[in-house]
Amino acid sequence: MKMYVLQVKSGYEISVCNELKKQGFDAVLPTIQEYVRRGGKWDLHEKIIFTQYLFIRLKPDEKNYYEIMKTDGVMRFLGCNQPLKYSEQKYIEWLENGGKPIEPSKIYITASGDKMIMSGILRKYSGSEIEYNLRQRKVGIFIEIAGKNHRITLPAVRI
């Protein structure tokens, strides 16, 4: 099945995803467990990677289109109702992480300063450019979705 991008109202991502799943659609909402520092300590909080966007796998037909568009919170299909390219769909499936939030990747820094990804989703990242900000417990990667290059921030922790 092809994957499409839906733009949804801000703050409606989870409710729209749940409603579409109730209707029998295969909706995808990639999330991460992000470290947030409050009161001097680090806590993990769940966060949506692409706010205001939802991904859906379906066979395109008029009935599906109208069923999705009448769902409260759905604004429009992006890309003139064109599906994502195969490579873009693979990135979204990678970020989907089997329907579970992405947990922080563990990164080891050698004595010479080289960074080695020991565990987590980043071990499967096939891109070349990674921006490390381990002090903030974040890593930035770049992926192309719907023809545009997007910077995705993923959680990471130094071990």
Side-chain angles (χ1 to χ4, degrees):
M1 278 198 266
K2 301 275 186 184
M3 186 176 279
Y4 295 82
V5 183
L6 292 175
Q7 184 177 14
V8 298
K9 291 180 184 175
S10 182
Y12 281 67
E13 298 92 348
I14 295 171
S15 62
V16 169
C17 185
N18 291 338
E19 182 61 31
L20 289 172
K21 285 181 179 181
K22 279 186 204 172
Q23 294 176 27
F25 293 107
D26 188 4
V28 176
L29 184 64
T31 59
I32 60 171
Q33 288 185 338
E34 178 181 58
Y35 278 106
V36 177
R37 188 174 175 124
R38 290 197 181 127
K41 60 183 230 187
W42 291 94
D43 293 318
L44 280 174
H45 294 276
E46 194 169 329
K47 179 183 172 189
I48 297 169
I49 296 176
F50 299 101
T51 56
Q52 292 188 321
Y53 297 102
L54 187 67
F55 302 90
I56 189 163
R57 288 185 202 95
L58 56 89
K59 292 182 180 172
D61 68 14
E62 209 170 297
K63 181 181 179 246
N64 286 341
Y65 176 81
Y66 287 110
E67 285 295 315
I68 292 167
M69 290 306 294
K70 73 180 185 182
T71 304
D72 188 36
V74 173
M75 294 171 68
R76 65 186 175 122
F77 277 84
L78 288 185
C80 300
N81 302 340
Q82 294 297 315
L84 292 175
K85 295 178 195 168
Y86 178 78
S87 60
E88 297 169 341
Q89 183 171 336
K90 286 298 173 194
Y91 271 128
I92 297 303
E93 289 170 351
W94 174 69
L95 290 171
E96 180 185 10
N97 197 32
K100 298 177 278 190
I102 297 171
E103 295 181 1
S105 295
K106 292 181 172 67
I107 299 174
Y108 176 74
I109 300 178
T110 64
S112 63
D114 294 333
K115 295 167 183 75
M116 296 176 14
I117 300 168
M118 303 304 287
S119 68
I121 197 167
L122 284 174
R123 284 188 63 91
K124 299 176 188 171
Y125 177 60
S126 60
S128 58
E129 193 173 344
I130 299 177
E131 293 178 351
Y132 294 93
N133 186 350
L134 296 178
R135 185 170 183 264
Q136 293 295 317
R137 299 184 182 194
K138 296 178 182 180
V139 172
I141 62 170
F142 296 89
I143 62 174
E144 185 179 317
I145 297 174
K148 293 183 181 178
N149 216 11
H150 293 272
R151 183 182 190 276
I152 308 295
T153 302
L154 296 175
V157 64
R158 182 179 176 173
I159 58 170

